[in-house]
Amino acid sequence: MPFPFSSFSRIAGVLALTVWLLTGVGLFAQSSGLNGTLRDPDGSLVQGASVTLIQTQTEAQFHAESDESGHFSFASLPGGSYRLEANKPGFSTITIAAVMVSPGNSVQENLTFKLSGSSTSVTVLAGLSGSTANGYYVESVDPGVLGTAPVVDQPYVITEMSAQLITNTQVKSFKEAMKYLPLVSYTEQQGPEILRPATRGFQGSIAQNTRMDGMAMAITGGNPMEQYQDLQVENGLGAAMYGPANPSGMFDFILKRPTEARSNNVYLEQDSSSVGTAWLDSAGRLGPNKLFGYRSNLLYGDGTQFVEASRLRRRLAMFAFDLRPTPATTIDAHYSAYDIVQRGYPGWFTYGENTAIKGTAQNPSPDFILPTAPDPTRRGYGQAYAGVNLTTQSTSARLLHDFSPNWHAMAGGLAQRLDRFIDTPVNVISSNNGDYKSSLATGFAPRFGVESDLGYITGLVNRWGFRQDVVVASQGYRFNQYGYVAPPAGNVLLGMANIHAPVIFAPPASGLPRNTNIYQSSVVHQQGFSLADLITLKKFFAVRLAASQDWIGVDNYSSSNTRTGGSNKNGISPSASVMFKPTASMTAYVTYASSLQQGDIAPGGTVNANQSLAPYRSKEWELGYKTDMHPISLTAALFRLQRPFANTVAYNGGPQTIFKIVGEQVNYGAEISGQGTLFHRLLLDGGFTALNARLNDTGVQATDGKRFVGIPGYHSNLYSEYRVPGVESLSFTGDWQFTGQRPQDDENLHTTSGFNTFDFGFRYSHSIFEKLATLRFTCNNITNTRYYSTIAAGDITGTNASSNTAHLGAPRTISTSLQFSF
């Protein structure tokens, strides 16, 4: 049942009651112990600091490490006098000579580091963690097929969203997270959870471009951000290191894993009018020498979203374990199950050509123009009984081994199953007055399955006067797509309405099939063997060479399990980069890459529905510059990419359609991003993209060479935080997102105006009875701007009646959360 809250007073009352209950429990649960919080000179929380407690009389030592909230703790201590020491590279050691711990009592010591020297830069959270001290800049990629070189030494644009940024922005879905990756975009498919990510104007595939801990995963299903430690994105072509992939970039989701120190975090959250969520994130290590590690994320949320009578329910159970049989070897595994139900959300709109008055092939522009975006909170654009039910189950296992400090290896596998029931309303524009026909969409793939593997060895070689960062890797996957044996007979018509007067329709008399009577319609299997070498010369220059030998196979099946066709291809995907490094913190580079990629899967309604096309190849040139100097780290790049383009066209001149390659898409543009902290108080994290995306050789004069539907020429996002002077742990947050004009149609005769959205919030941390409590508040889209979050091409070639699509963006929403760390 939805949470029965409908006003801020009730929300505040619940939060106050929760604080009282938890702090009250703390009064009765204290035991002999010591805990505290570590901060840097600017007041930012410090993760990964080593804290040692030494008993004065016995010299017994106790060790802990500060977690992502800067918190450390020692439990069940013998009473007596202790010496407390805290260490972190870049800071002076903190020593408290005498701390008294009385039996039955708990002592709190909050500590603040000082810089170890005036020339020492502050890097509070290294590696994957990111920090508020450096604008959430992440210094190193996740160890794997990209090697171990820092981000500044990688000859392509890499952006990351760290654990702290994920938590502080209160994002819950991949779509919400991508706002804070300004060089990244997406295309919604059948709702806000079912989407495909993109970089540089190229849309990603279902499984080619997304990874979980480096292993292939499907993206068109529920994907909770609460289970991830980091999101790492490599823009452009990544096939030379990841195996066959299209040019939309590589998206690697890094799972949360066990922590060295015990960490428990409880989150109580409130979104929109009445979506309440409770979430527990617990981690630590047990046994002699911390042999066994654990991590769990348990989440439940339910309530009404921004539309009256809508429903959002989320349930997550995620568990990760590891075992360290030797100091150099780790065996880990994870399992997660995520279920999300979205009902009553606005459906999407389609618009395009009026087939009753269809023009010539040389004049195929749509007769129906996309109206101005309406108010998404009004009932009727969606229906309370319609939407999506998504269930994602994932499991993985890995073996990691360090041969030496410079040589590392990993071998692992992942299995994933996505079950999808989709009956979201689709509203087909039928006049320029805003009239539309509403139906329940049917026929989408009810299930996906992925089994993937990854193995690599990385190492450093110092010989003949230069250094080599070497990577040898093998990665691949089997992607299974399912269809209905008896597909639903077209969309289920609900009735007619107008965009200015939406209608609440009665549900259809007969229900739709819910993942019953399905069959395996296609199997895509691919494997790549990669070899890369980053060669750093004596002075100023470095060269990176990489290549992947790729094998791609496709098998298509009928509902009777008979193979109806397929293909088997192989080829090499190479890349080469030359880098100039005037200093260790600066890199200028030029990169060329050529990528073999899996063919797209034909959509429903075509004569080759659910079948995969033969592979094809993309090419990219990139010129870039990076610096990780403080206080601002910058990345800038110029790029040009080209790839074959497939779409739905008429089949043999008849009413049927076929999905096939019809031309070439060429995108070129510029990107710039930066992260840092100015004046020790103002944090900035943002980026800007200028993009020209066009189609060539469409075979239709009116559409040839025109801009791609729905891709803006300019896009930017700027996130900021300001630490309030004189008030410890209080920060005000803000975000500004800009999206430029987007072509509505194939001939570029009509455009949708650009839009801006603004967010505002604050974050405040305070210790309450030895527990660190953090309150976060965000108001998204404070101006309540109405806009389309996605405008996507239906048929760019102009040889068939168009069905371009548009999804409504979210209205003004409010998110509040209270986090307790203990």
Side-chain angles (χ1 to χ4, degrees):
M1 294 294 292
F3 280 50
F5 310 139
S6 59
S7 67
F8 283 111
S9 61
R10 293 183 181 180
I11 296 171
V14 170
L15 292 177
L17 177 61
T18 303
V19 172
W20 182 83
L21 288 173
L22 287 179
T23 55
V25 170
L27 287 171
F28 295 99
Q30 294 180 31
S31 60
S32 299
L34 185 146
N35 63 76
T37 301
L38 284 165
R39 298 182 182 275
D40 72 357
D42 295 328
S44 298
L45 301 170
V46 178
Q47 181 186 22
S50 175
V51 184
T52 303
L53 198 61
I54 305 171
Q55 192 171 34
T56 305
Q57 293 180 335
T58 65
E59 293 297 320
Q61 295 189 9
F62 305 87
H63 300 278
E65 184 176 290
S66 58
D67 62 18
E68 60 188 18
S69 299
H71 186 258
F72 65 90
S73 64
F74 299 90
S76 303
L77 292 173
S81 177
Y82 292 83
R83 184 171 73 253
L84 178 64
E85 296 180 355
N87 295 277
K88 176 75 177 181
F91 300 104
S92 298
T93 299
I94 298 174
T95 301
I96 300 179
V99 179
M100 293 300 301
V101 177
S102 302
N105 293 324
S106 184
V107 178
Q108 184 173 10
E109 289 286 349
N110 295 324
L111 309 175
T112 300
F113 279 114
K114 293 182 179 179
L115 296 181
S116 59
S118 58
S119 62
T120 302
S121 62
V122 181
T123 304
V124 179
L125 301 179
L128 291 173
S129 300
S131 76
T132 56
N134 56 10
Y136 297 109
Y137 176 73
V138 178
E139 296 181 334
S140 300
V141 296
D142 179 52
V145 295
L146 293 183
T148 57
V151 169
V152 73
D153 292 339
Q154 301 285 354
Y156 15 72
V157 173
I158 295 176
T159 55
E160 299 206 27
M161 189 172 187
S162 67
Q164 275 203 320
L165 186 56
I166 291 172
T167 300
N168 288 340
T169 54
Q170 304 186 81
V171 298
K172 298 170 177 62
S173 68
F174 186 29
K175 177 183 174 181
E176 294 175 354
M178 280 194 282
K179 176 165 62 174
Y180 304 101
L181 294 166
L183 308 184
V184 172
S185 59
Y186 60 86
T187 300
E188 289 181 66
Q189 300 290 295
Q190 294 87 41
E193 290 289 334
I194 307 173
L195 46 81
R196 297 191 184 186
T199 66
R200 300 177 176 176
F202 286 98
Q203 176 180 287
S205 182
I206 299 174
Q208 282 184 351
N209 301 89
T210 47
R211 300 288 188 268
M212 180 184 291
D213 286 338
M215 296 172 284
M217 59 171 270
I219 193 61
T220 52
N223 200 26
M225 292 304 297
E226 288 91 346
Q227 69 177 355
Y228 297 119
Q229 176 73 16
D230 182 74
L231 172 57
Q232 174 180 299
V233 182
E234 177 192 345
N235 289 13
L237 291 183
M241 294 309 304
Y242 288 93
N246 65 23
S248 63
M250 301 303 302
F251 296 75
D252 196 3
F253 295 80
I254 312 301
L255 283 166
K256 290 181 175 179
R257 295 290 181 178
T259 57
E260 292 302 309
R262 185 172 64 89
S263 172
N264 296 290
N265 290 276
V266 175
Y267 299 81
L268 302 173
E269 303 172 342
Q270 186 77 16
D271 294 284
S272 296
S273 60
S274 66
V275 180
T277 302
W279 167 32
L280 171 64
D281 183 356
S282 180
R285 305 201 69 84
L286 302 171
N289 300 316
K290 297 185 176 181
L291 177 67
F292 177 75
Y294 65 91
R295 187 73 178 258
S296 65
N297 276 270
L298 303 175
L299 179 148
Y300 181 84
D302 201 348
T304 300
Q305 259 288 6
F306 51 80
V307 183
E308 183 183 354
S310 65
R311 172 81 182 279
L312 172 64
R313 188 192 70 195
R314 299 195 309 139
R315 297 181 294 182
L316 168 67
M318 177 266 189
F319 305 96
F321 308 95
D322 71 30
L323 183 67
R324 294 176 177 172
T326 73
T329 304
T330 301
I331 302 170
D332 67 27
H334 113 279
Y335 171 78
S336 64
Y338 181 61
D339 170 76
I340 182 169
V341 175
Q342 292 176 325
R343 296 276 143 181
Y345 282 49
W348 69 88
F349 292 88
T350 68
Y351 64 99
E353 191 172 53
N354 184 349
T355 55
I357 54 172
K358 182 177 179 181
T360 67
Q362 298 301 314
N363 185 27
S365 62
D367 300 287
F368 302 139
I369 302 171
L370 182 65
T372 302
D375 182 1
T377 65
R378 293 187 65 178
R379 293 185 64 183
Y381 301 124
Q383 304 298 324
Y385 51 81
V388 298
N389 292 47
L390 307 172
T391 301
T392 304
Q393 298 181 71
S394 304
T395 185
S396 66
R398 304 184 303 172
L399 171 64
L400 301 97
H401 182 72
D402 299 327
F403 297 105
S404 71
N406 293 330
W407 285 88
H408 315 279
M410 192 279 275
L414 178 144
Q416 187 179 60
R417 170 172 157 171
L418 279 67
D419 286 294
R420 317 181 325 153
F421 173 69
I422 303 171
D423 61 351
T424 306
V426 53
N427 304 313
V428 182
I429 301 294
S430 57
S431 78
N432 283 330
N433 295 323
D435 296 324
Y436 65 83
K437 178 178 67 175
S438 187
S439 305
L440 297 184
T442 62
F444 299 106
R447 180 179 297 167
F448 296 128
V450 180
E451 298 107 37
S452 58
D453 61 85
L454 172 63
Y456 63 78
I457 297 176
T458 65
L460 298 178
V461 178
N462 287 288
R463 288 185 180 178
W464 306 301
F466 52 83
R467 162 179 163 159
Q468 293 176 269
D469 190 336
V470 180
V471 180
V472 179
S474 175
Q475 58 277 313
Y477 67 85
R478 173 187 171 100
F479 175 72
N480 309 297
Q481 177 162 318
Y482 294 79
Y484 290 106
V485 173
N491 292 348
V492 180
L493 178 64
L494 297 177
M496 299 295 297
N498 186 277
I499 201 166
H500 305 293
V503 175
I504 301 173
F505 296 106
S510 59
L512 300 177
R514 288 179 177 263
N515 292 26
T516 58
N517 200 21
I518 63 177
Y519 75 101
Q520 190 174 35
S521 58
S522 68
V523 178
V524 177
H525 37 90
Q526 69 175 47
Q527 197 74 30
F529 178 79
S530 303
L531 178 63
D533 191 359
L534 172 60
I535 306 171
T536 304
L537 306 178
K538 287 185 177 181
K539 288 187 178 180
F540 305 131
F541 285 95
V543 177
R544 192 176 196 278
L545 303 174
S548 177
Q549 171 63 59
D550 305 324
W551 293 267
I552 304 176
V554 180
D555 295 299
N556 301 310
Y557 297 92
S558 67
S559 58
S560 61
N561 200 33
T562 301
R563 187 177 185 275
T564 58
S567 64
N568 284 281
K569 301 288 184 180
N570 69 85
I572 297 177
S573 299
S575 72
S577 304
V578 176
M579 292 176 280
F580 174 66
K581 294 186 62 62
T583 69
S585 60
M586 293 185 184
T587 301
Y589 66 89
V590 59
T591 294
Y592 170 78
S594 175
S595 170
L596 187 70
Q597 64 182 91
Q598 171 195 320
D600 294 321
I601 297 175
T606 59
V607 296
N608 56 342
N610 300 321
Q611 297 182 10
S612 298
L613 301 185
Y616 39 93
R617 183 176 293 276
S618 304
K619 298 179 181 179
E620 175 185 41
W621 284 97
E622 180 176 333
L623 177 67
Y625 170 80
K626 293 182 178 185
T627 173
D628 64 357
M629 293 192 305
H630 297 281
I632 297 291
S633 302
L634 295 173
T635 298
L638 301 174
F639 58 85
R640 184 185 187 277
L641 296 93
Q642 64 185 62
R643 60 156 281 182
F645 180 78
N647 214 330
T648 303
V649 296
Y651 179 64
N652 290 337
Q656 292 182 305
T657 59
I658 188 171
F659 189 72
K660 68 176 186 177
I661 292 177
V662 294
E664 184 177 64
Q665 182 178 354
V666 179
N667 293 6
Y668 58 90
E671 298 169 333
I672 184 169
S673 64
Q675 304 85 28
T677 302
L678 300 176
F679 317 115
H680 300 287
R681 295 200 175 276
L682 179 61
L683 177 152
L684 299 173
D685 189 342
F688 173 81
T689 298
L691 179 63
N692 191 323
R694 297 183 182 272
L695 282 181
N696 299 324
D697 303 323
T698 63
V700 179
Q701 181 179 354
T703 62
D704 193 29
K706 298 300 173 67
R707 289 178 56 198
F708 203 96
V709 171
I711 297 180
Y714 304 98
H715 174 75
S716 66
N717 193 80
L718 177 63
Y719 175 77
S720 62
E721 294 184 6
Y722 179 71
R723 303 185 187 114
V724 179
V727 183
E728 186 179 5
S729 302
L730 174 63
S731 296
F732 288 105
T733 63
D735 189 81
W736 169 36
Q737 180 178 224
F738 167 72
T739 298
Q741 292 183 342
R742 291 169 288 177
Q744 285 189 16
D745 60 274
D746 309 341
E747 293 187 53
N748 297 177
L749 300 177
H750 307 284
T751 59
T752 296
S753 300
F755 66 90
N756 297 273
T757 62
F758 301 91
D759 307 336
F760 174 78
F762 68 86
R763 181 177 70 254
Y764 178 66
S765 298
H766 186 69
S767 294
I768 303 176
F769 297 109
E770 291 82 44
K771 294 179 175 64
L772 181 66
T774 302
L775 176 66
R776 297 179 177 88
F777 172 87
T778 304
C779 180
N780 296 296
N781 192 5
I782 57 178
T783 58
N784 205 24
T785 299
R786 299 174 185 176
Y787 64 97
Y788 289 105
S789 57
T790 289
I791 298 175
D795 178 13
I796 199 70
T797 62
T799 56
N800 185 36
S802 294
S803 58
N804 300 329
T805 61
H807 294 251
L808 294 179
R812 178 170 51 236
T813 56
I814 291 175
S815 298
T816 306
S817 67
L818 186 59
Q819 174 189 358
F820 291 94
S821 302
F822 55 94

